[in-house]
Amino acid sequence: MGKIKVAVLGSTGMVGQRYVKLLESHPWFEITALSASKASVGKKYGEAAKWVIEGEMPESVRDMRIVSADINDVKKEGTELVFSALPSEVAHEIELNMAEAGYMVIADTSAHRMDYDVPLIIPEVNSDHLSAIFEQRKRRKGIIVTSPNCTTIGLAISLKPILDNFGIKRVLVSTMQALSGAGYSGVPSMAILDNLIPYIKNEEEKVVRELLKILGKYENGFIPANIKVGASCHRVCVLDGHTEAVFIETIDKATSNEIKECMKKFKGDPQHLSLPTAPINPIIVREELDRPQPRLDRLAGEPERARGMAVVVGRIREEQALDNGIKYVLLSHNTIRGAAGNAILIAELLKAKNII
Ligand SMILES: NC(=O)c1ccc[n+]([C@@H]2O[C@H](COP(=O)([O-])OP(=O)(O)OC[C@H]3O[C@@H](n4cnc5c(N)ncnc54)[C@H](OP(=O)(O)O)[C@@H]3O)[C@@H](O)[C@H]2O)c1
C-alpha cells in the first residue's frame, strides 16, 4: 500500500521544519505539498526556509516549490491529509476551508482547539475524545483534530497517571519556556539575552482551559475536569524545551515514591505502543537532583523515531505547604512533543483506527 500524501502548512517555520524532519522517511506518510506565506510561494523550500533545527534539511524537500495555503494549490499535489502549523491569525479560516473541502486537518494552532466538536488530543492521554469526530462529520465533509499548546502537552502527560491513581484537586504550574516556542521571529535577541520575560500573551489562559478539556470527559460533548488550575508563564533564554515547576494537591494521599512508580508505569492505551512515533515510555523519571535540563534531556525518548517525544520528570517530592502536596519539575520538547511530533502521533493513531 502506498504512503498517505500529506501537506504541511506553515512548513518553513519552527514547527513546520520539525514536520519536515520528522516526516523524512516516515513509514506511513509522505510530504507532497509544502506551503508558506505569499513571500515564499514559488521559491524552492531550500531557499525559502531558514533551516535552524539540528541535522541537515532532507534532500527530498530541498527543491520542492512552496505553494500557497489555498485549497486548490494544495489539492493539485494529490494531498490526502493536512498538517497545519500556520500563525493563529490566519489559521481559523484556512483550516476550516480545508475541512469543508473534505480534508482531514491536524492542527497545531489554537484556532479550533476549544470548538465544541473538535477533539484536542494527546494520544496517550485522551484518545477516547476522538468520538467528537462523528459529531463534526454531521456538519462538514472533512474533520479538524487539534494538538494542544506546547506547554499543556507535557503537563497533561505528567498529570494523567496521577489523576488515574490518586485523583487531583489542584494544579499550580510555573513555566520556563524556550525561544522556539515563540516562532522563528518571535523574540528579538536584544530582548532575551541575559534576560527573562515574565509574560507570554494568552499562554496562561490556554494552559488552564486546554488542560481541563484534555483531562475531562467526552460524553456527547466535552465535560471539563473538576480540577483547580493556575499557571504563571515565562520566556527564558533556551532554544528548545519547555521546563515547568509543578505543584499539585492529590485527592488521595500519595508518597513521592508512589508518584514516581505510577509515572514510570504509565504507557497510555496499548494501541499506541505500535505507532511509529510513540515513545516506549511517555514519561521518563530521573533521580538526579539536577535533572531534567533542556540541553541534556529535550531529545529523550525511544525508539529513534520517538526522540523528543518523552516527557522527562525529576525532583519528585512531597510538599508540606499543600494538602496531600506533591511537586516536581518536567521538561518536554516544545516543537516535537509539544507540536509536530504530537500531531504526527495523532495522524498515526487515526490511521491505526482506520479513520484515515
Ligand atoms: N513553536 C512552538 O513551539 C509551537 C508549539 C505548539 C504550537 N505552535 C503553533 O504552531 C503555529 C506555527 O508556529 P511556529 O512557531 O512554527 O511559527 P513561525 O516560526 O512563525 O512559522 C510560521 C509559518 O507560517 C507561514 N505563514 C506566515 N504567514 C502566513 C500566511 N498569511 N499564510 C500562510 N502561511 C503563513 C510562515 O511562512 P514564511 O516563512 O513564508 O513567513 C511560516 O512557514 C502557531 O499557530 C503556533 O501557535 C507553536
Side-chain angles (χ1 to χ4, degrees), residues 251-321:
I251 293 173
D252 298 331
K253 192 164 179 55
T255 64
S256 53
N257 276 336
E258 287 172 322
I259 297 290
K260 275 182 203 169
E261 285 314 305
C262 78
M263 285 185 171
K264 282 183 191 168
K265 280 189 197 142
F266 178 65
K267 297 279 183 193
D269 179 338
Q271 186 176 12
H272 307 131
L273 295 175
S274 57
L275 302 176
T277 307
I280 296 166
N281 292 306
I283 304 175
I284 294 174
V285 176
R286 305 279 323 199
E287 297 289 346
E288 303 91 323
L289 290 174
D290 59 355
R291 301 286 278 272
Q293 293 181 23
R295 273 203 335 240
L296 303 182
D297 295 311
R298 58 189 159 212
L299 290 175
E302 284 185 51
E304 179 69 21
R305 186 166 286 289
R307 290 191 79 209
M309 288 295 284
V311 177
V312 183
V313 176
R315 306 207 63 217
I316 302 174
R317 58 238 196 260
E318 287 147 42
E319 173 52 72
Q320 304 305 331

Side-chain angles (χ1 to χ4, degrees), residues 6 14 91 93 144 159 180 223 273 315 320 355:
V6 306
M14 288 292 84
E93 197 184 332
I144 301 174
L159 292 173
S180 60
I223 305 165
L273 295 175
R315 306 207 63 217
Q320 304 305 331
I355 298 173

Side-chain angles (χ1 to χ4, degrees), residues 9-17 35-41 48-50 66 68-69 84-91 94-95 108-111 113 147-151 153 178-186 206 242 333-336 338-340:
L9 311 183
S11 64
T12 52
M14 288 292 84
V15 177
Q17 293 188 20
S35 153
S37 77
K38 278 197 186 112
S40 303
V41 171
K50 297 183 191 79
I66 303 278
S68 81
S84 169
L86 290 166
S88 49
E89 313 82 75
V90 296
I94 295 173
E95 289 169 4
D108 287 303
T109 72
S110 59
R113 285 184 192 144
S147 177
N149 170 277
C150 44
T151 312
I153 294 183
L179 296 174
S180 60
Y184 183 78
S185 48
K206 282 184 201 166
H242 290 352
H333 197 301
N334 52 296
T335 60
I336 302 180

